[in-house]
Amino acid sequence: MSRVGHLSNLGMSDYLIEDLDSSTSNLVLGHLSEQNNHPAIVRMIATQALEQRGLTTRLAIAEQRRPTEVFQY
């Protein structure tokens, strides 16, 4: 984690591979840096990490200027 509160893409990927509860059904990634990241990059890295674990977790990326999908549980 940097001094400005953002977790790196590598740090996020490591967490998903090593620590994410395998029963997680929905995962929303947010607080992306507008200057230093892009939703497509985050989605690709997260998808690869989830696939490496064999998880079918539903992935959503919360963008800064667009609402996320509605989640119903």
Side-chain angles (χ1 to χ4, degrees):
M1 183 165 57
S2 74
R3 287 184 272 159
V4 293
H6 292 266
L7 185 65
S8 71
N9 289 339
L10 178 58
M12 176 266 303
S13 176
D14 289 344
Y15 173 79
L16 297 181
I17 292 168
E18 298 170 12
D19 298 310
L20 180 70
D21 187 320
S22 61
S23 67
T24 301
S25 59
N26 293 290
L27 177 64
V28 180
L29 300 176
H31 196 66
L32 273 63
S33 169
E34 286 187 300
Q35 291 79 33
N36 300 311
N37 214 338
H38 190 276
I41 294 170
V42 173
R43 180 176 300 282
M44 178 186 69
I45 293 171
T47 298
Q48 289 173 348
L50 293 170
E51 286 175 352
Q52 182 175 331
R53 295 236 352 239
L55 300 178
T56 57
T57 304
R58 182 173 163 201
L59 180 63
I61 309 296
E63 297 184 42
Q64 298 215 3
R65 303 200 190 302
R66 202 182 314 180
T68 62
E69 61 190 280
V70 175
F71 296 92
Q72 294 182 355
Y73 297 96

